Amino acid sequence: PSRLTQSSDNWGPFTNRVAFETADLLYRKEQMSAGNINTLLELWQASMRDGDTAPFKDSVHLYRSIDSIPLGSIGWQSFNAHFPGHDPTLGSVSDDEDSAEPSWMRATFEVWFRDVREIAKAILRSAEFTAAIDYGPYRILQDGEREYGDLMSADWAWRQADIISKYDNSEGAAFVPIILGSDKTTVSIATGQNEYYPLYASIGNITNAARRAHGGGVVLAGFLAIPKTRKKHENDAGFRKFRRQLFHASLSRILQSLKEHMTSPEVVLCGDGYHRKIVYGLGPYIADYPEQTLLTCVVQGWCPVCTANKLDLDRAPSELRSQEQTELLVSTLQLGEVWDIYGIVGDVIPFTNDFPRADIHELIAPDILHQLIKGTFKDHLVEWVGDYLVAQHGKALAVSIITDIDRRIAVVPPFSGLRRFPEGRGFKQWTGNDSKALMKVYIPAIQGHLPRQVVVAVRSFLDACYIVRRRTHTPRTVASYASSLRHFHENREVFRTPGVRPEGFSLPRQHSLMHYEDRIYDFGAPIGLCSSITESKHITAVKEPWRRSSRFNALGQMLLTNQRLDKLTACRTDFEARRMLDAHSPMGLAPELSSNVWWRDGGYIGMEEAVGSGGTTSTALLNGPSTTTRRPASNVGPNTKLIVKLSRTPQTKSPRRVGALGSYLACPELPKLLGRFLASQLQVSPPHIADRERIRVFPSARADFYDPCDTRSDMEGRRHERIRATRKWRGTAPRYDCVFVNREPSLVGLRGMEVARVRVFFDFKYKAASYPCALVHWFQRMGEAPDEETGMWMARPLYHDDGAQFRSVIHLDTIVRAAHLVGVAAQRYILDDEFEYTSLDRFDVFYVNKYVDYHAFDLLHEWSV
């Protein structure tokens, strides 16, 4: 039965809300061991009054309750694979030095999987995505330009719909593309050989934000086999061929349940209560470069998308690869010829050949994490900068400069969400988050130590990287990306020098950047198909379940753990859909913010009202009940501000009278500043503010705004940040953050804003009206355009002729959000007595850092092409 027929007091299989919340807390959130669960329940029971009982008797009772949840129950299946000619009844054997055959030829490989068709149906009927799903392709026009955001808004989905519309019985059907992703991951290096090969599945109908939200939009679909052999056999051509064949044969087997309904619709219950005819298809595949070459049967070093020669990848893309072209070349030329001339592995057939409307070369998704962040930035540019310094200055001076670059990074002022590097960037093991954090502060760190062309090369690449991570794209943003990429290619020539890259830039990951324009038009915003989605899933689907296992035959325990986690997640979604977890239900827990509301001016409003009615959605080719979801323009302007409000609790040790606060802040003119503020608010002459007027001081303010590209944002793209003004942040040092203050909303970027540093947050009352305010020290923008070398605006603090800070009192509503300023060091070296909490006082000129996050980039970037 549909969940819509369930009553709002049926907690089955749990007795009540307390039992469900206990199971969810202990198993999913805290991941408590069975022994600790038993101990806790014993203590709980011992504390109960006569006749009362704990929600569970023991861990076994808790596990059985979870296992009996009917939702989220997609069972695990398995099949075995082996080398042709091997008798599987003989079982798996280990390497034997005396054997004529290596062990991989005699081994049996087990593959575990879930029915991907059932996974797709579970996502379709989940209440979690009712407001974040499109059942057919659509178009949005914003200011006369088409927007490319979610997968269903882009060209590939429309081409698929055109083909499907010609099938019998397809009228009114919804198209559901299956998004796949796979990547090996290691759970423990210390204990050795603990590698797993997870396969993940999603559907292209849910929004990019929903897919990235760490919810049920991406599901563990299987564990592929990892053939292993002795080192002496690892490079055998036969072993490499078998690994490829096993990979593709496994994928084909796992996806077989979809094949019938790729041409003939099936009826499926959806989350909004409607039944729809569904036609499936293979959608984009999320993978890093080694996985892309495996998927496309292309030789390492070649492009999996186009036929550009591996020795000449730094030129414009060549003819796009296709399944038809590959089959023609393999049937015409020798295997060695297609390998050497076209980079094709001709003796392996891609799994997509077994399914209609599927060409693996067309389905390779762009990978921001490995191609841009880890690849081009961390592995290439950061390394090249170090090599360039050595080549130009010698090792001794280069080490001195690199040390100062590390010091510049270490003394960057703190900022909400900004990762600190106390020792610079010289750590051994980089993560994707480390690379992203370094990108935010790298330009100010290298400027002055390296030639202008090097800085411009890095800046142009960062611009391209930040642009491509937008939630939606238009022809204008795509052209801006292309312009930045062109400038990067022009300026990276500075590295074509002995000791750096004398051989040029024939690098597959940098070459892939040339295909992003086409991929955006085909698949929408690349942020929704990035391998960071599957890598983050490794933690909850592989690494944490492995740690919870006994380590002996861990895979079976991991499968059970994942099934229970899915059941609990589906159960919570169902209870929320029936509004059983609201505050009025038993236990009286706080209500959760609905996913389809928006906070503005002290109240909740609908998403349509928050965004406005800009943009139109065309009718999809596939029609039916609610086939097309009318979705507002995905990119609300970066100036969209929900609210800035003071922290909940005022500081108790700060002065509570205006005069005393002025003395405390060394700002004796505070009463006059308050008078001028009230004059501007009330349009009257400045009233007199007595020293004894009451005032409350707050340590911080919270800004809520729209930032869909940030991983900290919720499914609707909202996030918040703390703006701090306190003498003792974390009990150590003062912290006075900077902010953007709105002056001319009609002007774009910093031309319509000012930069200021907050000295104190406070509120006071005047004639019964309350005024939340900030005392700020103003900065002056330098020039009428950003600095040409770094691409960032520059500013300097303002002072009166007598050296006193130029201060004002401003209303909290004029603050847009926090601003990040980084000192301009130029050629000078950072001193040992400079720290991150003194930077804003020690420098005379600052960069207004547009790279600190994606919202700041949208706010400050000059978009003219």
Side-chain angles (χ1 to χ4, degrees), residues 102 213 254 322 501 538:
I254 291 170
S322 67
R501 291 296 301 180
H538 286 340

Side-chain angles (χ1 to χ4, degrees), residues 683-713:
Q683 300 297 309
V684 297
S685 299
H688 173 72
I689 303 297
D691 286 347
R692 293 192 55 80
E693 289 291 337
R694 290 186 175 274
I695 196 166
R696 295 192 305 170
V697 175
F698 294 81
S700 66
R702 168 173 159 160
D704 294 294
F705 53 90
Y706 182 80
D707 187 11
C709 298
D710 197 289
T711 56
R712 295 166 291 175
S713 301

Side-chain angles (χ1 to χ4, degrees), residues 206-226:
I206 62 174
T207 63
N208 290 342
R211 193 174 303 111
R212 294 175 56 85
H214 307 291
V218 178
V219 179
L220 179 66
F223 282 97
L224 304 176
I226 306 178

Side-chain angles (χ1 to χ4, degrees), residues 76-148:
W76 288 95
Q77 309 174 48
S78 69
F79 61 85
N80 294 327
H82 58 86
F83 184 74
H86 167 60
D87 184 356
T89 61
L90 298 177
S92 181
V93 295
S94 58
D95 254 334
D96 186 349
E97 292 287 353
D98 298 327
S99 174
E101 293 181 332
S103 63
W104 63 267
M105 287 188 177
R106 296 171 285 135
T108 298
F109 301 97
E110 191 174 38
V111 177
W112 285 89
F113 71 100
R114 286 162 154 169
D115 190 327
V116 176
R117 181 164 137 258
E118 291 301 320
I119 290 175
K121 290 162 69 174
I123 296 175
L124 286 169
R125 66 172 172 262
S126 173
E128 180 181 358
F129 307 111
T130 302
I133 193 167
D134 295 291
Y135 295 102
Y138 64 92
R139 290 191 178 101
I140 286 179
L141 295 178
Q142 186 72 9
D143 298 328
E145 284 193 306
R146 182 177 170 186
E147 284 192 348
Y148 298 83

Side-chain angles (χ1 to χ4, degrees), residues 477-537:
T477 65
V478 174
S480 186
Y481 165 79
S483 176
S484 297
L485 184 63
R486 183 174 63 254
H487 291 150
F488 168 62
H489 287 160
E490 292 169 355
N491 287 281
R492 73 177 176 181
E493 290 297 319
V494 69
F495 295 114
R496 197 191 291 266
T497 184
V500 188
R501 291 296 301 180
E503 69 275 30
F505 309 99
S506 191
L507 302 163
R509 286 180 292 182
Q510 284 200 27
H511 170 81
S512 67
L513 274 62
M514 302 181 189
H515 293 295
Y516 273 56
E517 294 178 66
D518 291 337
R519 286 301 188 246
I520 288 171
Y521 289 130
D522 275 348
F523 299 145
I527 193 175
L529 298 169
C530 179
S531 63
S532 60
I533 299 172
T534 53
E535 289 212 354
S536 66
K537 196 69 177 178

